[in-house]
Amino acid sequence: MRYFIELSYNGKNYHGWQIQPDAMSVQEKLNNAISTIFQEKIEVVGAGRTDAGVHASQMFAHFDIEKELKKDVIFKLNSILPNDIAVYNVFLVDDEKHVRFDATSRSYEYKIWLGRNPFLLDFSWQIHSQRPDLNLMNEASKLLLEYTDFQTFSKVKTEVYTFNCDVTEAFWEQNENELTFHISANRFLRNMVRAIVGTLLDVGLGKISVEDFRAIIESKNRGNAGLSVPAKGLFLTNIKY
């Protein structure tokens, strides 16, 4: 039988979601917790692969087991897992249901704090003196919906079958000192959101124009895009099936 797990995690202490040979990952912690409970080796499959330091307020994983689970499985998992990983739901699905391939949409948020806030150091990128133009960044963000090839914003050394992504929304909003970038797509490339945010900030700070941003997308050259902003401000927020 196949079960889906809904969870969240603070990515600060992890080298991303995926198991690494010499570094701690969220997937490893979840595997160990489930295997401990059922006294057999169980490996979970994740809906995506967040990079080192990236957070997830909603993540899904699935695993297969021959026994029916009891209602206390969530309590048991949270008793074993470290405090920076939390399981909210475990539910039975059809055997063919795949947590990664059946996902139709994924959403991310990137958070920037204008000024200093010691309580948000682990969950935002803090810009102390500059004030980016939100209107310009939103104007440039709209261009993302016009394109499907996002090679410009992908890690250079990555093995993917296509650089195409269907971006369905991309916009900035401001709540006092907090800037939040929202983006949704059917799939994302490695480092894509952080590279997009870095390039949009160049627009907001007047380093490049909106039309320059269009030319950067069309160039399909990572060297033309802006910096990759720090991982700590990035959150995987929603996955739809």
Side-chain angles (χ1 to χ4, degrees), residues 36 49 55 75 94 101 145 148 157:
T36 299
R49 300 176 181 177
H55 316 291
F75 174 79
D94 294 337
F101 300 134
L145 278 65
T148 55
K157 294 181 180 179

Side-chain angles (χ1 to χ4, degrees), residues 133-141 172 200 203-206 208 210:
D133 187 319
L134 206 68
N135 292 327
L136 284 176
M137 292 196 295
N138 268 326
E139 187 179 344
S141 296
W172 290 85
L200 287 172
V203 175
L205 295 173
I208 60 174
V210 174

Side-chain angles (χ1 to χ4, degrees), residues 147 149-158 163 189-192 195-196 199 202 208 212-228:
Y147 295 89
D149 189 324
F150 292 99
Q151 184 173 354
T152 290
F153 302 116
S154 173
K155 268 189 178 292
V156 177
K157 294 181 180 179
T158 183
F163 292 103
L189 305 169
R190 285 190 65 196
N191 213 236
M192 176 176 162
I196 286 175
T199 313
D202 285 344
I208 60 174
D212 289 336
F213 185 75
R214 181 188 293 277
I216 288 169
I217 297 174
E218 294 179 351
S219 74
K220 302 180 183 180
N221 185 340
R222 179 65 184 91
N224 293 330
L227 61 82
S228 177

Side-chain angles (χ1 to χ4, degrees), residues 16 51 70-71 108 122 135 197 199 205 207:
D51 290 336
K70 296 181 180 180
K71 293 182 180 180
Y108 282 88
D122 293 336
N135 292 327
V197 171
T199 313
L205 295 173
K207 297 179 181 179

